[in-house]
Amino acid sequence: MKALLIVNPSSGGEQAKEFEEMAADKLRESFAEVVVKHTEKEGDATRFASEAAAEFDSVFAMGGDGTVNEAVNGLAPHDKRPNFGFFPLGTVNDLARALAIPLDPKEAIESFAVDRTRKIDIGQVNQAYFTNVVAIGMIPAAINNVEAEEKTKLGKMAYFVSGLREVRKNESHQFEVIAENNGEKTTIAVESSTMIVGSSNTIGGFESLLPKASTDDGKLHLIYLKDTNLWETVKSVPELLKGVTESNDVLGYQTFDKAAIRLEDGATIETSVDGDPGPELPITVQVLPQHLTVYCGAEKTR
């Protein structure tokens, strides 16, 4: 078998250089040929993975959530999709958490086993793909405004600090969501500062935000804050962090196969996709059930 290892040298405070050789040696225990490629700019991981789809049996990424997202975007459009694996080096590493892959790079490499795989759902937003989350409003503004230096210095707390800055602005919007389940459509009018579409239980490093969600349930999960002012936002956030299983007075919850999301007044607003800037509204999001076979941690073996 033949494997491609895509390495982002700038991920994890440039730890990739330290772990690249270790990962390649580990993969050579299971693959007859291991090819290593380094990313130099945005889009390289997508291009490398796409080019490898027809030739390689497996594609691996070493980097943060952005590198993982890029590699998945390279594989997802193809009819023939190699197995996908990754060694996490980022700040949050949501998909690694959801798949029980160790967050310590050395441990993730040492524990890799070629016979541990599972099929997972992939989300699609417009023409792009995601593995974890599409966020709209206050949260993506907070995520997109975090500088690389802050992430290196503060880790996950950098997002929390940026979030506090955005909460003070307290800007709510009128949304229309047309959600589709098994061909039946439901229209929801929402006033909110924040909407989150998740495909697994782990979002932003919080591993119980969506307790009912899993990477292979064939659904996307929508959470939104029911907030029109700062006080309502302050009340909503602690409830959000407890985990959401149903709608209540301060939070809304909905599952769907496909949804169209827009602002009522036709305006635009930024989104965040797997932690990086995404398309502006309006957007269409949908689930691609069990679309990708991934290498996972021992606890998630199926």
Side-chain angles (χ1 to χ4, degrees):
M1 295 192 298
K2 189 174 180 181
L4 172 66
L5 174 61
I6 301 170
V7 179
N8 181 350
S10 63
S11 285
E14 301 190 355
Q15 295 179 65
K17 296 175 184 177
E18 177 183 347
F19 296 110
E20 174 188 326
E21 187 174 345
M22 183 188 303
D25 287 343
K26 182 66 175 180
L27 293 179
R28 289 188 185 102
E29 295 175 7
S30 302
F31 297 92
E33 182 179 355
V34 177
V35 176
V36 180
K37 291 189 176 182
H38 297 99
T39 63
E40 296 180 356
K41 59 185 181 301
E42 184 178 347
D44 279 353
T46 297
R47 178 167 56 86
F48 294 158
S50 181
E51 292 171 349
E55 183 183 354
F56 287 79
D57 301 285
S58 294
V59 171
F60 294 84
M62 175 176 283
D65 288 341
T67 306
V68 170
N69 174 275
E70 279 202 18
V72 168
N73 269 269
L75 298 176
H78 293 276
D79 292 330
K80 177 187 178 297
R81 294 181 292 275
N83 288 1
F84 178 63
F86 60 97
F87 304 112
L89 289 179
T91 306
V92 178
N93 302 310
D94 271 332
L95 188 58
R97 295 172 189 269
L99 295 174
I101 294 172
L103 302 185
D104 177 76
K106 182 179 179 181
E107 187 179 348
I109 293 166
E110 290 177 344
S111 65
F112 168 76
V114 74
D115 59 349
R116 279 203 309 262
T117 63
R118 68 181 295 188
K119 292 183 180 295
I120 66 167
D121 303 336
I122 296 297
Q124 184 171 357
V125 51
N126 294 351
Q127 301 304 310
Y129 302 88
F130 64 97
T131 60
N132 276 55
V133 62
V134 176
I136 306 163
M138 178 178 67
I139 286 180
I143 293 171
N144 294 346
N145 288 336
V146 174
E147 300 293 336
E149 290 181 5
E150 289 182 293
K151 285 196 284 187
T152 301
K153 187 183 299 182
L154 300 177
K156 194 169 69 173
M157 282 299 296
Y159 296 107
F160 181 76
V161 172
S162 182
L164 290 178
R165 293 196 294 261
E166 293 299 324
V167 165
R168 291 201 299 270
K169 297 178 183 178
N170 187 51
E171 187 176 6
S172 293
H173 305 274
Q174 296 284 347
F175 295 95
E176 179 189 74
V177 181
I178 303 176
E180 186 173 326
N181 278 295
N182 301 318
E184 294 188 8
K185 294 183 179 181
T186 304
T187 301
I188 309 166
V190 175
E191 183 172 2
S192 177
S193 70
T194 301
M195 304 186 78
I196 300 170
V197 177
S199 62
S200 74
N201 64 304
T202 301
I203 295 175
F206 296 96
E207 298 184 33
S208 59
L209 211 62
L210 286 167
K212 289 185 176 180
S214 69
T215 56
D216 59 358
D217 62 6
K219 294 290 182 183
L220 293 176
H221 300 252
L222 170 67
I223 310 171
Y224 54 90
L225 275 57
K226 297 179 179 179
D227 57 340
T228 61
N229 56 57
L230 180 58
W231 172 238
E232 290 177 347
T233 304
V234 170
K235 285 197 303 181
S236 298
V237 171
E239 291 297 315
L240 175 69
L241 297 179
K242 288 179 184 178
V244 185
T245 58
E246 60 185 6
S247 296
N248 56 35
D249 291 341
V250 297
L251 297 169
Y253 177 71
Q254 175 84 28
T255 61
F256 59 83
D257 308 321
K258 185 177 181 179
I261 304 174
R262 70 177 185 90
L263 289 176
E264 290 278 13
D265 60 6
T268 60
I269 187 174
E270 64 185 343
T271 69
S272 172
V273 177
D274 285 348
D276 285 324
E280 293 185 335
L281 262 56
I283 59 172
T284 298
V285 288
Q286 63 180 319
V287 67
L288 304 177
Q290 300 191 9
H291 193 69
L292 197 62
T293 300
V294 299
Y295 296 104
C296 59
E299 295 177 18
K300 298 293 181 179
T301 303
R302 290 289 179 90

